[in-house]
Amino acid sequence: MRPLLSRRALIAAGSATAASLVSSCEKMSDSPNLRWLLDFGEFMSLHAQRALLAGQPLVREYAEADITPDFPPNGTERPAGMGYFQLVMSNFAAFRLTVDGLVDNPLSLSMDEIKALPARTQITQHNCDEGWTAIGQWTGVPLAHLLKTAGIKPEARYIVFHCLDEMVRTPDRSGFYYESIDLFDAFHPQTILAYGMNGKTLPLAHGAPLRLRVERQIGYKHAKYVARVEAVDRLDRIGKGKGGFWEDRGYQWYAGQ
Amino acid sequence: MADVEHETAPAPALPITAPPMAAGTAATPLPMPPDAAPDSAPAREVMYRHSITVRITHWANVVFLTLLLMSGLCIFNYHPSLYWGNYGYRGVPAFLSIAALEDIETDEPVGVTTIAGHRFITTGVLGLSYNAEGAPVGVAFPPWMTLPGGPGLALARDWHFAAAWLFVLNGLAYLLYGLLSGHFRRDLLPASRELRGRNVLGEIWSHLRLSRARGDAARRYNVLQKLAYMAVAFVLLPVMVLTGLTMSPAVTAAMPFLFDLFGGRQSARTIHFITANLIVLFVLVHVIQVFVAGAFSGMRAMITGYFPIRPEKAR
């Protein structure tokens, strides 16, 4: 049978390809030729989940009895630097949250002013990208309320959260944590800037005085120590241009999983 | 005859069949019945066994499941503990955990796997492995099993979600084909007579003897094959997808019943891991069975579609 040889060659070639596939995946990951494949999952999840969430359902909320003890803090647990230290010593009396960028009326709010705004309390599941989850109660001002008060301009597409914690110390001070979400998530009723956790003031380790809760995405999107909320039309001019501290280091911008 | 040469030709070194090679070599020296000697064998019939859709989706699955497994193990390494219920983190009692600990007698690091309170020393494979220089590395699954082979959660997640979508699209194509073409009804659904105890026991016995199907019996899957393939295609793989989706806060916002279906967010993660292990177990048995049944003809059938039918033994 003549075709036998060619078939055998085909199988051998196929097996060689399969053998090299997995071992070379890593090297290929660095190559821009493969970036489209690595981005395929994020692209598909973003569009499929946006279709699934078109009705803006709420994530499941739990009872007080479900709150887990010792909710683990992740990332920065106490920002370094004199500026933050002084804020802590003054019990955040000198703290101001800035809401600016593509808005009609930029805001500068003290913690007392923020706590006087309409508040939302929710008991939700926190999902870390490493795999652990914990349940906590969060109290804060809905981001939608701040954005409506500031009057967001029609060309705004993303909301950027600038944080007080410097993850990487560099001479140009570009290593501060930051995050961004689009308006779909920014106006979701459960997207809040929280100042309370489990019925108490938000602890330092969890992002005092203010942290983001964006419940339909995972851990690293929930920026802590938020001091400035900026409305922008594009993300490529901030940080390294990928929309967040971890995104600039290879993590997916859309993290609904 | 060329056909007989196929059977005795040394199996090409295929990476996916590499681990069970020992089982394959154990199976090949099975005594060939004298009546199956090349000179007395009747002309062997070749049947068209696997459609092009089945062949393409099968090999695509090999690639996607390999990527999913390896990237999944890398993600697992970032929190190598599994829990039951709705929550789980460092300090919460774990159902399974893999860690590098220190032996209090020797002060040497050891890999320890704890399952339901039982501790197993798994140094070298789980919890603690050695790098190329022989230095111990505290990592749950060793780098040779993971994608990427070392730290890289962002990259592992990129691979995992890209491969997951490709796997789902491939699986949907297969399910659609299987339903519309009659492949499921014709080839996978066992007839009621096949499910009778006597037949099932007979099949188990013939599997234990590592005997090869001949004649008419070789034309179709046996009942154990049918049940195994159906369990994988309709239970294990769908459970993988659903437990994976249960870990998505976006998906569960729209479908909170997924939490209840699997008994909570962390239970879903644990079931995801256990089911992945069951799929690996299936693949090992499946590859061993391909060797028992004739590695070359089996491999050729899944590539070209054509499968040689071994004639009935002369009685």
Side-chain angles (χ1 to χ4, degrees):
Chain A
M1 258 169 93
R2 281 277 150 236
L4 177 65
L5 256 179
S6 59
R7 263 176 209 158
R8 197 172 280 169
L10 180 77
I11 292 169
S15 64
T17 314
S20 62
L21 174 76
V22 167
S23 65
S24 57
C25 278
E26 252 169 277
K27 289 161 209 144
M28 291 194 297
S29 306
D30 299 330
S31 110
N33 299 335
L34 211 76
R35 200 58 242 177
W36 67 269
L37 176 59
L38 292 169
D39 291 339
F40 177 69
E42 182 187 11
F43 173 86
M44 292 295 285
S45 295
L46 172 64
H47 290 90
Q49 292 175 9
R50 284 295 152 87
L52 195 64
L53 298 170
Q56 295 282 13
L58 301 183
V59 303
R60 175 170 284 186
E61 294 192 12
Y62 294 84
E64 274 188 41
D66 299 322
I67 294 173
T68 55
D70 310 318
F71 193 115
N74 218 20
T76 307
E77 292 182 30
R78 192 183 182 110
M82 204 57 192
Y84 187 78
F85 179 75
Q86 284 172 342
L87 283 178
V88 173
M89 294 316 284
S90 75
N91 203 16
F92 298 103
F95 175 84
R96 291 289 179 282
L97 173 72
T98 309
V99 181
D100 62 2
L102 296 171
V103 296
D104 295 324
N105 316 301
L107 308 175
S108 175
L109 302 167
S110 71
M111 283 313 297
D112 285 343
E113 288 168 321
I114 291 168
K115 286 175 182 170
L117 296 173
R120 190 178 203 286
T121 295
Q122 58 205 29
I123 301 174
T124 54
Q125 177 116 237
H126 182 83
N127 297 268
C128 181
D129 61 349
E130 294 170 351
W132 58 264
T133 60
I135 298 172
Q137 183 195 55
W138 309 96
T139 301
V141 55
L143 183 62
H145 180 85
L146 291 177
L147 297 176
K148 280 175 197 157
T149 308
I152 189 165
K153 288 186 199 287
E155 60 266 34
R157 289 188 55 209
Y158 302 98
I159 306 300
V160 180
F161 304 89
H162 299 276
C163 304
L164 295 171
D165 55 325
E166 196 171 10
M167 298 287 285
V168 183
R169 304 212 73 170
T170 55
D172 64 350
R173 312 301 304 277
S174 66
F176 283 86
Y177 201 87
Y178 78 103
E179 257 302 342
S180 63
I181 56 177
D182 61 9
L183 300 187
F184 183 90
D185 273 324
F187 281 92
H188 186 259
Q190 287 170 321
T191 301
I192 62 174
L193 282 177
Y195 44 74
M197 178 187 185
N198 296 343
K200 299 197 181 86
T201 304
L202 185 68
L204 295 190
H206 288 282
L210 276 178
R211 78 170 299 171
L212 176 67
R213 296 297 310 170
V214 49
E215 302 290 356
R216 295 176 301 181
Q217 298 205 45
I218 63 166
Y220 62 86
K221 299 299 287 186
H222 300 234
K224 308 200 290 191
Y225 315 105
V226 175
R228 181 179 168 214
V229 174
E230 184 190 13
V232 298
D233 58 347
R234 48 197 286 188
L235 296 171
D236 57 358
R237 286 184 281 220
I238 301 162
K240 295 197 175 97
K242 298 290 202 297
F245 177 84
W246 287 116
E247 287 84 335
D248 287 339
R249 285 152 184 85
Y251 284 78
Q252 299 179 353
W253 175 79
Y254 179 68
Q257 289 200 316
Chain B
M1 256 176 75
D3 264 332
V4 176
E5 275 178 31
H6 295 187
E7 298 300 324
T8 52
L14 289 160
I16 51 158
T17 54
M21 197 57 106
T25 44
T28 25
L30 277 180
M32 290 286 278
D35 53 42
D39 49 333
S40 69
R44 191 167 291 174
E45 193 191 339
V46 172
M47 75 172 286
Y48 184 63
R49 187 166 211 181
H50 303 300
S51 70
I52 183 76
T53 312
V54 166
R55 282 178 279 143
I56 290 175
T57 52
H58 173 271
W59 291 114
N61 245 354
V62 171
V63 174
F64 300 152
L65 286 176
T66 304
L67 292 173
L68 280 165
L69 177 71
M70 296 180 70
S71 55
L73 294 180
C74 186
I75 296 169
F76 177 89
N77 277 355
Y78 280 82
H79 192 81
S81 296
L82 297 171
Y83 314 86
W84 295 112
N86 233 336
Y87 64 92
Y89 44 85
R90 234 181 126 86
V92 173
F95 156 69
L96 178 149
S97 68
I98 302 174
L101 303 175
E102 200 160 85
D103 189 318
I104 50 166
E105 284 172 13
T106 61
D107 288 345
E108 290 289 314
V110 284
V112 178
T113 302
T114 311
I115 303 174
H118 301 281
R119 289 187 157 197
F120 304 94
I121 303 295
T122 48
T123 308
V125 188
L126 300 178
L128 189 89
S129 45
Y130 298 94
N131 65 15
E133 289 80 47
V137 183
V139 60
F141 284 97
W144 62 264
M145 281 192 204
T146 66
L147 176 66
L153 182 55
L155 202 51
R157 287 165 55 81
D158 282 345
W159 277 115
H160 204 68
F161 298 136
W165 273 105
L166 292 170
F167 165 78
V168 164
L169 296 174
N170 185 55
L172 288 176
Y174 169 77
L175 290 178
L176 203 64
Y177 164 82
L179 283 173
L180 297 182
S181 71
H183 167 58
F184 292 158
R185 183 172 37 78
R186 196 178 53 241
D187 302 325
L188 292 189
L189 194 66
S192 54
R193 65 182 154 72
E194 289 179 275
L195 290 171
R196 283 186 198 135
R198 200 188 159 94
N199 182 56
V200 175
L201 288 176
E203 280 300 341
I204 292 173
W205 176 233
S206 93
H207 274 76
L208 289 177
R209 286 181 301 146
L210 303 180
S211 69
R212 299 179 177 192
R214 293 173 171 276
D216 248 11
R219 294 180 163 278
R220 57 190 79 89
Y221 296 142
N222 63 64
V223 67
L224 297 185
Q225 259 179 310
K226 287 181 178 183
L227 292 175
Y229 295 162
M230 291 209 337
V232 170
F234 305 134
V235 181
L236 296 187
L237 295 177
V239 164
M240 273 327 271
V241 174
L242 291 175
T243 50
L245 290 174
T246 310
M247 288 186 252
S248 156
V251 170
T252 51
M255 301 192 272
F257 58 84
L258 286 170
F259 287 132
D260 308 318
L261 183 61
F262 295 110
R265 164 67 172 74
Q266 286 298 331
S267 296
R269 181 167 174 262
T270 301
I271 295 168
H272 197 69
F273 182 88
I274 292 172
T275 310
N277 280 272
L278 293 177
I279 292 169
V280 170
L281 188 67
F282 164 79
V283 170
L284 289 178
V285 173
H286 177 60
V287 171
I288 290 170
Q289 296 284 28
V290 168
F291 268 93
V292 170
F296 192 80
S297 51
M299 193 59 78
R300 190 181 65 171
M302 202 36 105
I303 292 171
T304 67
Y306 290 95
F307 182 73
I309 302 297
R310 305 165 67 76
E312 301 273 10
K313 281 187 209 174
R315 302 219 174 242

